[in-house]
Amino acid sequence: MAYSLNLSKLLSDLTGPKGLSALTEEFHKIRSEVDRLKSNVQPEAHKKLKAIQVRINGLRSNWEKRQGKLEKELDKTFQSVIRVAKEAESKIQSGLRGKKRTTTKKAASGRRKSTRKRARRS
């Protein structure tokens, strides 16, 4: 049964022979109603809270697993990028060293050939 407060009756009881006992009686009624509501609502609230906690824990563990996989993949990618960059740098350095030597030889040999051909024609 739901609690209903009749304020006019309460005020008349306060001024009448009951006095303070009417007020304490109303407080006891209110307290018993609140306790009844608490006992009815708490189990449902606990069930919902538990379900929410289970779901949050599942999401968190899923998130942590995926985060770990992502970090591993990023580490692998960074390591391969660093390795490829070092290889490319070494190839470029060796290519630059070799290119300087070969270009001078080719340029010198190309000049000789062109002068020989000119000399033969004349």
Side-chain angles (χ1 to χ4, degrees):
M1 180 168 108
Y3 175 78
S4 62
L5 177 65
N6 189 351
L7 195 57
S8 61
K9 182 180 181 252
L10 180 63
L11 289 175
S12 67
D13 285 344
L14 282 173
T15 55
K18 281 187 171 181
L20 192 57
S21 65
L23 186 60
T24 56
E25 185 181 317
E26 286 297 319
F27 280 129
H28 286 292
K29 286 181 185 177
I30 291 171
R31 183 176 178 182
S32 65
E33 185 66 22
V34 167
D35 288 341
R36 186 185 66 81
L37 288 173
K38 231 183 200 184
S39 65
N40 287 341
V41 172
Q42 277 183 346
E44 292 175 16
H46 283 296
K47 287 179 186 176
K48 287 182 181 180
L49 184 62
K50 283 289 183 183
I52 290 170
Q53 285 176 344
V54 166
R55 186 162 186 227
I56 287 174
N57 288 338
L59 289 172
R60 185 177 9 155
S61 66
N62 192 10
W63 173 267
E64 289 171 355
K65 287 177 188 176
R66 290 183 181 198
Q67 185 72 22
K69 287 180 182 178
L70 177 67
E71 288 175 2
K72 286 179 184 177
E73 289 295 323
L74 285 176
D75 285 342
K76 286 180 185 177
T77 304
F78 285 140
Q79 292 300 322
S80 65
V81 166
I82 290 170
R83 182 178 37 84
V84 168
K86 284 182 181 178
E87 289 175 2
E89 185 179 3
S90 66
K91 285 181 181 179
I92 289 172
Q93 293 296 328
S94 65
L96 288 176
R97 284 185 221 131
K99 191 174 183 181
K100 288 180 184 176
R101 292 178 188 158
T102 56
T103 55
T104 56
K105 289 179 183 177
K106 286 182 182 178
S109 64
R111 288 181 191 149
R112 288 182 197 156
K113 288 180 183 177
S114 62
T115 55
R116 288 183 188 167
K117 287 180 184 176
R118 287 184 191 164
R120 287 183 189 167
R121 288 183 186 170
S122 56

